[in-house]
């Protein structure tokens, strides 16, 4: 019968090690106040920052459309639906499932989560089992001449189980776990930021495509109008009413307008290629699987209700601030790891097994063996490297504090700039709308007078140029108001729902 005389003592030791590791890990995981609370961040006097303060209590009106800011409200997770465009919703939903950059960011989150398990595993006892078998022939000079003068040939089988455990006496292991959690929180915040940017870039690409289509249509109308004027001038030249100089001037003006069309077509193609990449398609493929057309500017509804997070809440809803906070927590944990590396380390280990020439007798009487070992090691002289390592970690912590403060201030500035842009956009859009209406009416009058012979070529050229410029300004102003609305949603966090404290601690 094979017996295992060390089973009870080795199992007791392993249980004791597991209990001790659990107690030490629990003690090391005790939550300290977040380091981010020690960083002083100047708060803006009002949620609007340097933007006009009346934006918070009166509508932002332009071109007959108003937007109302609601202080204290958060951005919806699916904020793009505020534009009320089924096409936009379809494209964003596809991008969030097919975008390559977002998939890479999510994979990095999964990788960081796995590394937390690696750090946690180092706090627990390590159990290993081994089995070796060897066949050996001893030389005559090494064999015992009295027992057997002939060379000895024998087999040797060894089976053993080893348990080792290094108690986390000074919290270095627990600090490594906190650092791994912080790295996972950084990866998660970066994935949230990527999600927000992918959604925003899709919406902006749709807006840009609609604006370019509107500009292309306006330029095409201007080209058609210029050709009509040129035909009219040529007819009047035949009648002797105008000279060839007038016809040449109109031909030059028409060529100038025609020259603006190819860059717009090129920009539209590049914008559509970028949109296809965002949604995980190759350039040249249809944007919509059902062959639907891209939405025009008129198909996009300007969101009437705008969220406005308060400064303290903004620090919890911005992915970049959450990433900076998690980086700060990780840097603080790394300082703890560097401090623990300068202190003594205790290692406990136990080994039990059996050795015999016959495989079935490894654990027979006399063949089992065991070993208990306790080791204490303390660094004495490492050329100052351990101290420098701690200093480097402390400097990294100072840099993380400065980085968090700078990121927070930039968040306030982004919201302030977005609100200022929306206010300016509304004013610019109202002006551009009036100018476009007046210029279109003026060009119609001038063309009618040209037919009647009441005006010259110069007036027609001026009216055409003004009308084309006014139309381009109106389209740009309308697209800018939509785009800057997207900018406000992104500046407010893009719908991130994870509080900063949770991101920083990994809970």
């Amino acid at each position: 019968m094979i017996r295992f005389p060390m089973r009870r003592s080795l199992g007791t030791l392993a249980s004791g090690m597991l209990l001790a590791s659990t107690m030490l890990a629990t003690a090391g995981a005790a939550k300290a106040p977040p380091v981010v609370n020690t960083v002083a961040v100047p708060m803006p006097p009002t949620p609007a920052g340097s933007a006009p303060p009346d934006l918070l209590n009166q509508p932002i009106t332009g071109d007959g459309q108003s937007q109302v800011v609601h202080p204290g409200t958060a951005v919806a997770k699916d904020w793009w639906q505020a534009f009320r465009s089924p096409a936009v919703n379809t494209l964003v939903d596809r991008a969030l499932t097919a975008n390559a950059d977002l998939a890479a960011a999510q994979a990095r989150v999964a990788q960081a989560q796995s590394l937390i398990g690696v750090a946690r595993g180092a706090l627990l006892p390590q159990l290993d089992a081994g089995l070796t078998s060897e066949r050996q022939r001893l030389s005559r000079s090494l064999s015992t001449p009295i027992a057997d003068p002939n060379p000895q040939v024998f087999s040797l089988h060894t089976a053993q189980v080893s348990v080792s455990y290094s108690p986390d006496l000074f919290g270095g292991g627990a600090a490594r776990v906190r650092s791994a959690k912080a790295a996972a929180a950084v990866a998660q915040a970066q994935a949230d930021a990527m999600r927000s940017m992918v959604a925003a870039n899709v919406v902006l690409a749709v807006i840009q495509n609609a604006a370019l289509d509107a500009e292309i249509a306006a330029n095409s109308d201007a080209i058609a109008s210029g050709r009509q004027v040129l035909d009219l001038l040529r007819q009047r030249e035949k009648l002797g009413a105008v000279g060839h100089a007038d016809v040449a001037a109109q031909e030059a003006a028409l060529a100038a307008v025609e020259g603006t069309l190819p860059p717009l077509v090129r920009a539209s193609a590049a914008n559509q290629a970028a949109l296809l990449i965002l949604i995980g398609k190759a350039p040249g493929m249809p944007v919509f699987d059902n062959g639907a057309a891209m939405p025009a500017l008129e198909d996009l509804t300007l969101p009437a209700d705008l969220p406005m997070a308060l400064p303290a809440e903004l620090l919890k809803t911005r992915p970049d601030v959450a990433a900076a906070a998690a980086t700060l927590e990780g840097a603080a944990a790394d300082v703890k790891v560097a401090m623990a590396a300068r202190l003594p380390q205790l290692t406990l280990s136990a080994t039990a097994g059996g050795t015999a020439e016959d495989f079935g007798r490894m654990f027979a009487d006399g063949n089992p063996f065991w070993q208990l070992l306790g080791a204490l090691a303390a660094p004495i002289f490492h050329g100052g490297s351990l101290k420098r390592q701690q200093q480097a970690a402390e400097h990294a912590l100072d840099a993380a504090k400065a980085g968090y403060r700078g990121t927070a201030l930039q968040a306030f500035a982004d919201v302030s700039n977005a609100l200022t842009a929306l206010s300016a956009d509304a004013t610019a859009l109202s002006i551009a709308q009036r100018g476009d209406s007046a210029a279109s009416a003026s060009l119609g009058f001038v063309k009618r007078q040209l037919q009647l012979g009441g005006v010259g070529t110069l007036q027609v050229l001026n009216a055409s140029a003004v009308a084309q410029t006014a139309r381009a300004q109106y389209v740009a102003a309308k697209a800018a108001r939509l785009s800057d609305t997207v900018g406000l949603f992104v500046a407010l966090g893009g719908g991130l729902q994870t509080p900063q404290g949770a991101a920083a601690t990994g809970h």
Side-chain angles (χ1 to χ4, degrees), residues 398-478:
D398 292 337
K401 289 181 178 180
Y404 175 79
R405 184 166 51 250
T407 304
L409 293 176
Q410 185 61 52
F412 299 146
D414 290 344
V415 174
S416 175
N417 293 339
L419 288 173
T420 301
L422 287 176
S423 177
D425 290 341
T427 302
L429 182 58
S430 295
I431 296 173
Q433 192 275 332
R434 296 199 309 269
D436 179 59
S437 298
S440 297
S442 175
L443 179 60
F445 293 145
V446 170
K447 290 172 65 176
R448 179 60 179 165
Q449 290 176 346
L450 178 63
Q451 292 175 344
L452 299 176
V455 296
T457 307
L458 181 60
Q459 290 89 337
V460 175
L461 294 177
N462 289 338
S464 299
V466 170
Q468 182 184 4
T469 301
R471 170 56 61 170
Q473 289 178 344
Y474 177 67
V475 171
K478 195 169 184 178

Side-chain angles (χ1 to χ4, degrees), residues 146-407:
I146 298 177
D148 185 358
N150 298 317
Q152 294 183 353
V153 178
F154 64 94
S155 298
L156 189 63
H157 307 279
T158 302
Q160 67 179 29
V161 176
S162 301
V163 180
S164 62
Y165 174 54
S166 297
D168 191 19
L169 299 178
F170 302 102
R176 290 187 182 90
V177 174
R178 291 198 299 272
S179 180
K181 286 183 177 181
V186 171
Q188 182 61 62
Q190 291 173 344
D192 290 334
M194 182 60 67
R195 175 186 181 275
S196 175
M197 292 309 301
V198 166
N201 287 338
V202 168
V203 179
L204 290 175
V206 172
I207 295 172
Q208 181 69 9
N209 183 83
L212 288 170
D213 285 349
E215 287 191 53
I216 290 173
N219 278 35
S220 299
D221 291 342
I223 292 172
S225 176
R227 288 173 178 170
Q228 291 177 355
V229 172
L230 179 60
D231 292 341
L232 180 60
L233 288 175
R234 284 172 176 170
Q235 293 175 4
R236 297 192 64 192
E237 180 186 16
K238 293 178 180 179
L239 299 175
V242 297
H244 185 69
D246 295 314
V247 175
Q250 179 60 25
E251 289 176 341
L254 177 60
V257 176
E258 290 175 337
T260 62
L261 191 57
L264 292 175
V265 174
R266 181 183 61 189
S268 178
N271 179 75
Q272 189 164 119
L275 175 60
L276 287 168
I277 294 174
L278 283 172
I279 62 177
K281 289 188 174 184
M285 296 179 65
V287 176
F288 296 98
D289 296 334
N290 59 3
M294 291 286 289
L297 279 177
E298 293 73 19
D299 300 327
L300 302 174
T301 300
L302 184 71
D305 297 308
L306 300 177
M308 182 68 236
L310 300 178
E313 291 298 319
L314 181 64
L315 299 183
K316 300 178 183 179
T317 57
R318 284 266 300 210
D320 55 345
V321 179
T327 300
L328 180 55
E329 296 296 330
D334 292 340
V335 172
K336 179 67 174 178
V337 172
M339 294 172 61
R342 303 178 63 187
L343 300 174
Q345 304 292 322
L346 174 64
T347 302
L348 304 175
S349 62
T351 303
T355 301
E357 295 183 9
D358 186 357
F359 186 86
R361 295 184 55 81
M362 282 189 294
F363 297 100
D365 290 339
N367 289 333
F369 63 87
W370 59 267
Q371 180 186 31
L372 298 177
L373 178 64
L376 183 65
I380 296 178
F381 178 74
H382 287 252
S385 61
L386 296 180
K387 180 179 179 180
R388 296 298 183 186
Q389 184 176 349
Q390 179 180 339
Q391 291 176 345
E394 291 170 348
H395 293 320
L397 177 60
D398 292 337
K401 289 181 178 180
Y404 175 79
R405 184 166 51 250
T407 304

